[in-house]
Amino acid sequence: MKKKLVSILISVAMTATILAGCGSSAATSDAGAASADSGETADAGDDAAADAGDDAAAEDAGDEAADEVEAVTDTTGPDDGTPLELWTFVELHGTFYRDMCDKWNEENPDKQIKLTTVTYPYGDMHQKMIMSLQTGTGAPDICDVEVGQFPNVVAFLTDGLVPLNDYIKPYEATMVKSRLDTYAGEDGNYYGAPFHVGATLMYYNLAAMEEAGLSQADIDAVETWDQWVALGEKYLDGIGRPDGKYWTSVDTGGTDWMWLAMAEYGEDWTGGFEGPANVQLDSVKKMLTMQQDWLSSGLAEVSPDGHIDLEAGFQNILDHNIVSFPKAAWYMSRFLNYMPEEEGNWYLAPCPVFESGQGHSVGIGGTGTVVSQQSANGDLAAEFICWAKMGEEGEKYIWENLGFDVCNTAYWTDDAFAHDDSNQYNKFFRNYPYDVLNDVKDGIGKISVVAISPTINEYFCTTTANEVLEDGMDVDEALQEFQEAVDLEQ
Amino acid sequence: MEKKKQGNAFTRFIYSQKTAPYVFVLPFILSFCIFWIYPMLSTITMSFQNIKPAGAEWVGLSNYAKLLKDGVFHQAVRNSVMYMVLTLILLLPFPMLWAVLIDSNLVKAKGVWKAVLYVPALTSVVISGTLFRLMFSEYKTGFMNQVLAFFGQPAVKWLKMYPTSYFALLLLCCWRWTGVNMLYFLSGLKNIDAALYESADIDGATAWQKFRYVTVPLLKPTIIYVLTISIYAGLAMFLESFMLWAGNSSPNNIGLTIVGYLYKRGIEKNQMGYASAVGLVLLVVALIINMAQLIATGTFKKEER
């Protein structure tokens, strides 16, 4: 009897360990996917922030896709249409492409497409794509590539991907150029069709500022960081400087502030394709020095848990502990999904600059869609994808359903598009997001994402930012150390 | 006729005392070779290469030379070893103690205890890691900071300092694995003949003496097994830290483990060759420690059987 019990126990234990084993391996792939939608946004800041950046709905879909682990396949279009296969890592993107395919088939009876979308978890999809480009077989016609993974795919450009230049032409004049450049190869050709700009904007909690006796006009008057700091001091004076209340929070786990600073000065710490990477830039120095000053004067705190795109950050915003911060336009969806109580409180404005005349924004995050040379119908695939992601129908769909700031500026000034009062984002914020985007339109900078990028982001987030902002280390010294670490890798 | 002959041949083959054992172990041998031996051999080759999109390039020992100079890697090794040692200190004695307690007559509702202690092992690390991250948030609404606030203490930046971070990691680890290790010990205890305890009682042994001279020696095979898997599990820890810091980057790399570093190099930076070298170092370190431990405990000596 006892023996039986023992054997049952052992078998239970064994089954459990086996199951636990399965669980953890599945979890690993989940983790990869998680990094796609929220994890890495955080840590590596920007390279993967992209799709993390993506709207929350997409994020949820991403989670689901990740949980299932197995690929989700859906097909639309007539059987006699040209078959195209598309891989993505966000379920919602797949829905977008299929809906666009139906519209395409209505408009182009002579060029029918039968589109099959396959949703894989984030890590799996990129791995499979790189592998099939490497081996020259098995790649889909079309594939979503997250911007952080782009350098890995870029390596195959010359013979692996179809240049989209000709297909972008019809839209090129009104596209945000820095965004197209983000997905350009070493040869200068465009290889990826963008979803969104991810333009960085300044978010202000106007409701809290009004309680401190400030108004929208005060925000509109801000142009430089100095003026922004002065406004912050006024705000803190207005509320009597209670403990735990700050004007903003600075990140030890993200690079957004640095990207913004570099874009304003037109610098780039990666050095682009030619390299070499140089992190000892004036813009970075100035931004870090400024942030150190804010911390010591009580204007800013260090973002709890490293950056504001995490639960503690949302809570900090909900508690009105910080009332002003720069973040990409896709952060709007975080408000809708995690901070719905804040409706009607927030006002959007261009980011402050160091010297007037500088650009006010930088594009952060994103997903570029590529067409493989292995495709038998590469021309049609490229034409379709550019139409879907840059044409009118597509841009409307992207703004309404995915909540991204679309790349085709032709619609930014279109009243029906930009000032639609039934749109959830237009309703949520005090002003129309596209009005602010129009203001910064000509100054949206770009920081390259190249092979050295992960090294830079990682070292900054693990070491440099912590040394400077948490431990108060001298900025020059910290950047010297940063540069030495980066030099080891290039 | 033909069929019958074939059937006979097949039956003879299956029933043959010589071949049958091989047939039965074949599935294991195959999966062992395909999923273990082959990847290991290709890891060894890759560790001497620089893997590029277009193919591999032989670079000799340069990956290993780089490892020797790589401070971050050294930190990852230190972190992993420290974590492993600490988990051994916590995950051997305590589960053994719980197992002895549950096995004794002191504890009521044993099934409930076993279940309660075991359930955490069934949860996904992704979920429990995320929950622990929220609990140990440095923000004042984090659970641990609320506990501190209740006692009038200021909030702590839990995941930015070594002692508090390892407290969180070890708590997560103990919460998950105590029940599992306890079950191992419990099954080991069930195999000890009750007569031994009876005769110890007759000899007038105290509870401690019974534990020291009967339970522990007879539990030795279980202890060695748990020790072996714990050493490897400790060195190979990755997901816990990945989830606790919401990614592979922790402040000043305090949460970076060997496998985390492997992931960073292989997946995040696409340097498969270098990552293979890192992986092999992990394998060698785990093998050395475990071999030393197994030899020291006399597992390889035949007469012990």
Side-chain angles (χ1 to χ4, degrees):
Chain A
M1 190 60 208
K2 231 176 186 174
K3 257 199 173 153
K4 204 167 186 185
L5 183 73
V6 176
S7 67
I8 291 173
L9 256 178
I10 294 177
S11 41
V12 167
M14 285 177 71
T15 331
T17 19
I18 293 166
L19 285 178
C22 298
S24 55
S25 63
T28 317
S29 44
D30 278 12
S35 66
D37 22 65
S38 78
E40 286 202 29
T41 308
D43 71 341
D46 316 296
D47 63 332
D51 60 284
D54 292 8
D55 64 327
E59 187 170 283
D60 295 344
D63 282 345
E64 274 162 37
D67 289 343
E68 284 169 33
V69 173
E70 266 181 43
V72 185
T73 308
D74 287 290
T75 304
T76 188
D79 279 339
D80 57 348
T82 312
L84 291 179
E85 189 182 343
L86 181 149
W87 290 357
T88 181
F89 52 94
V90 181
E91 177 90 65
L92 213 61
H93 292 182
T95 315
F96 161 74
Y97 292 122
R98 288 196 304 280
D99 288 351
M100 290 316 291
C101 177
D102 292 340
K103 285 188 183 139
W104 168 274
N105 285 339
E106 272 170 38
E107 286 180 23
N108 300 283
D110 54 326
K111 283 192 266 186
Q112 296 285 296
I113 293 175
K114 185 188 176 196
L115 182 72
T116 305
T117 62
V118 191
T119 309
Y120 291 108
Y122 174 84
D124 290 7
M125 194 214 76
H126 288 103
Q127 210 64 40
K128 273 172 86 90
M129 183 65 188
I130 291 167
M131 212 64 90
S132 44
L133 286 173
Q134 230 159 28
T135 51
T137 171
D141 301 277
I142 306 169
C143 187
D144 269 354
V145 179
E146 197 269 322
V147 65
Q149 292 283 342
F150 223 80
N152 295 336
V153 179
V154 157
F156 311 95
L157 288 185
T158 36
D159 45 334
L161 304 177
V162 177
L164 301 179
N165 300 29
D166 293 344
Y167 309 95
I168 292 178
K169 276 262 158 57
Y171 317 99
E172 199 173 351
T174 50
M175 294 295 288
V176 175
K177 186 164 182 309
S178 67
R179 214 6 54 168
L180 293 176
D181 290 343
T182 303
Y183 304 115
E186 225 166 333
D187 54 7
N189 285 332
Y190 298 137
Y191 289 97
F195 257 121
H196 66 79
V197 185
T200 303
L201 306 172
M202 208 69 187
Y203 291 72
Y204 290 95
N205 188 338
L206 188 49
M209 291 171 67
E210 280 165 353
E211 281 169 32
L214 299 167
S215 69
Q216 185 186 323
D218 293 309
I219 297 174
D220 291 337
V222 169
E223 205 205 344
T224 63
W225 287 109
D226 291 339
Q227 292 166 345
W228 179 78
V229 169
L231 184 63
E233 297 291 350
K234 254 198 218 166
Y235 162 76
L236 288 176
D237 288 339
I239 57 167
R241 296 187 177 265
D243 264 359
K245 297 283 178 192
Y246 300 92
W247 175 235
T248 191
S249 71
V250 295
D251 301 344
T252 51
T255 52
D256 293 9
W257 288 88
M258 301 307 128
W259 276 43
L260 180 59
M262 285 187 286
E264 291 183 355
Y265 274 103
E267 295 180 315
D268 184 348
W269 58 14
T270 64
F273 284 112
E274 295 84 32
N278 173 19
V279 299
Q280 292 168 300
L281 299 172
D282 282 344
S283 51
V284 175
K285 263 179 221 168
K286 279 191 179 151
M287 182 52 88
L288 283 173
T289 314
M290 218 160 64
Q291 292 189 333
Q292 261 184 342
D293 292 345
W294 302 342
L295 287 171
S296 57
S297 72
L299 186 76
E301 65 172 331
V302 173
S303 306
D305 293 349
H307 62 98
I308 57 170
D309 197 13
L310 274 179
E311 295 82 356
F314 302 148
Q315 192 57 47
N316 213 19
I317 291 167
L318 281 170
D319 292 346
H320 293 193
N321 291 341
I322 57 168
V323 295
S324 173
F325 57 83
K327 200 75 195 171
W330 47 254
Y331 196 77
M332 292 191 293
S333 68
R334 300 294 194 271
F335 274 97
L336 263 74
N337 289 286
Y338 298 102
M339 302 171 266
E341 300 91 325
E342 290 294 311
E343 176 157 5
N345 288 350
W346 290 75
Y347 180 75
L348 301 167
C351 297
V353 291
F354 291 89
E355 291 157 23
S356 76
Q358 289 176 328
H360 284 267
S361 188
V362 58
I364 294 179
T367 296
T369 311
V370 300
V371 176
S372 159
Q373 284 278 14
Q374 293 170 35
S375 168
N377 304 291
D379 295 342
L380 181 62
E383 193 185 346
F384 166 69
I385 214 66
C386 290
W387 171 83
K389 291 184 100 174
M390 300 173 206
E392 184 174 1
E393 301 260 7
E395 298 295 65
K396 263 189 195 150
Y397 192 107
I398 290 174
W399 169 234
E400 274 160 27
N401 296 304
L402 304 177
F404 297 147
D405 46 338
V406 300
C407 293
N408 195 334
T409 59
Y411 308 105
W412 290 15
T413 45
D414 177 355
D415 224 30
F417 183 90
H419 291 168
D420 173 11
D421 284 319
S422 64
N423 180 286
Q424 47 185 354
Y425 296 99
N426 285 343
K427 272 194 278 187
F428 193 95
F429 291 93
R430 290 228 183 157
N431 50 345
Y432 294 114
Y434 278 107
D435 288 354
V436 186
L437 287 167
N438 268 317
D439 288 343
V440 301
K441 188 158 111 185
D442 299 324
I444 302 176
K446 156 211 150 193
I447 305 300
S448 305
V449 180
V450 291
I452 194 77
S453 298
T455 306
I456 295 181
N457 291 341
E458 174 215 320
Y459 197 84
F460 182 81
C461 294
T462 57
T463 311
T464 309
N466 278 290
E467 284 173 348
V468 172
L469 302 174
E470 284 282 359
D471 312 334
M473 189 174 178
D474 179 65
V475 173
D476 286 322
E477 221 174 285
L479 287 180
Q480 179 63 36
E481 205 186 299
F482 188 4
Q483 182 66 45
E484 280 162 16
V486 171
D487 281 342
L488 275 182
E489 303 291 327
Q490 61 181 2
Chain B
M1 188 69 186
E2 183 77 18
K3 204 177 176 186
K4 200 175 178 192
K5 207 177 168 187
Q6 234 179 19
N8 278 343
F10 182 70
T11 322
R12 268 208 309 278
F13 179 71
I14 276 290
Y15 281 86
S16 147
Q17 290 207 345
K18 271 186 188 151
T19 54
Y22 296 103
V23 173
F24 286 119
V25 297
L26 191 64
F28 169 74
I29 296 288
L30 276 182
S31 61
F32 181 73
C33 291
I34 297 171
F35 296 111
W36 213 88
I37 298 290
Y38 168 69
M40 197 180 76
L41 291 179
S42 84
T43 306
I44 293 175
T45 17
M46 279 163 73
S47 76
F48 296 106
Q49 291 174 331
N50 184 9
I51 310 291
K52 288 186 167 169
E57 169 198 2
W58 289 92
V59 293
L61 286 168
S62 79
N63 282 334
Y64 291 96
K66 197 172 160 196
L67 271 186
L68 285 178
K69 287 184 290 185
D70 191 338
V72 179
F73 173 68
H74 299 162
Q75 193 183 359
V77 174
R78 279 197 302 274
N79 288 346
S80 282
V81 171
M82 178 170 75
Y83 175 82
M84 184 265 289
V85 171
L86 290 171
T87 54
L88 291 186
I89 293 171
L90 292 168
L91 280 178
L92 279 178
F94 290 103
M96 203 195 307
L97 191 65
W98 304 156
V100 171
L101 281 177
I102 283 189
D103 199 42
S104 72
N105 293 326
L106 296 169
V107 176
K108 301 269 175 291
K110 297 176 180 184
V112 176
W113 288 111
K114 274 183 244 174
V116 166
L117 283 167
Y118 193 78
V119 161
L122 299 177
T123 59
S124 147
V125 192
V126 175
I127 293 163
S128 47
T130 308
L131 287 178
F132 270 69
R133 172 161 61 80
L134 297 179
M135 272 170 63
F136 283 92
S137 167
E138 65 186 66
Y139 195 57
K140 62 180 189 293
T141 52
F143 174 76
M144 294 306 282
N145 277 340
Q146 281 186 325
V147 171
L148 286 183
F150 181 78
F151 293 106
Q153 303 294 318
V156 168
K157 294 189 172 182
W158 291 95
L159 300 178
K160 282 187 175 166
M161 295 174 297
Y162 259 112
T164 47
S165 310
Y166 276 76
F167 174 69
L169 272 177
L170 290 168
L171 193 68
L172 173 57
C173 179
C174 290
W175 173 75
R176 266 179 73 77
W177 295 112
T178 300
V180 179
N181 285 1
M182 187 193 75
L183 276 195
Y184 289 137
F185 287 123
L186 214 48
S187 59
L189 287 175
K190 297 281 180 201
N191 276 332
I192 300 177
D193 196 342
L196 290 171
Y197 290 106
E198 274 169 37
S199 55
D201 276 334
I202 293 166
D203 289 342
T206 62
W208 166 249
Q209 283 170 326
K210 275 191 284 180
F211 177 73
R212 173 69 189 80
Y213 296 105
V214 180
T215 310
V216 172
L218 288 168
L219 261 186
K220 197 172 157 193
T222 318
I223 296 176
I224 291 171
Y225 172 68
V226 174
L227 187 65
T228 311
I229 57 167
S230 299
I231 288 175
Y232 180 71
L235 286 175
M237 187 272 284
F238 163 57
L239 204 52
E240 282 87 345
S241 111
F242 189 91
M243 294 319 295
L244 204 56
W245 277 278
N248 208 5
S249 303
S250 47
N252 294 316
N253 288 320
I254 52 180
L256 187 68
T257 65
I258 301 179
V259 179
Y261 195 62
L262 189 155
Y263 180 83
K264 181 167 277 178
R265 287 292 177 169
I267 308 295
E268 289 172 17
K269 297 189 183 170
N270 221 16
Q271 299 168 335
M272 284 297 174
Y274 194 55
S276 300
V278 173
L280 278 180
V281 170
L282 170 66
L283 180 75
V284 169
V285 170
L287 267 183
I288 290 175
I289 296 180
N290 263 330
M291 282 301 164
Q293 173 262 124
L294 291 173
I295 291 167
T297 49
T299 308
F300 293 131
K301 287 186 202 144
K302 277 214 166 140
E303 60 274 340
E304 287 264 337
R305 291 276 101 198

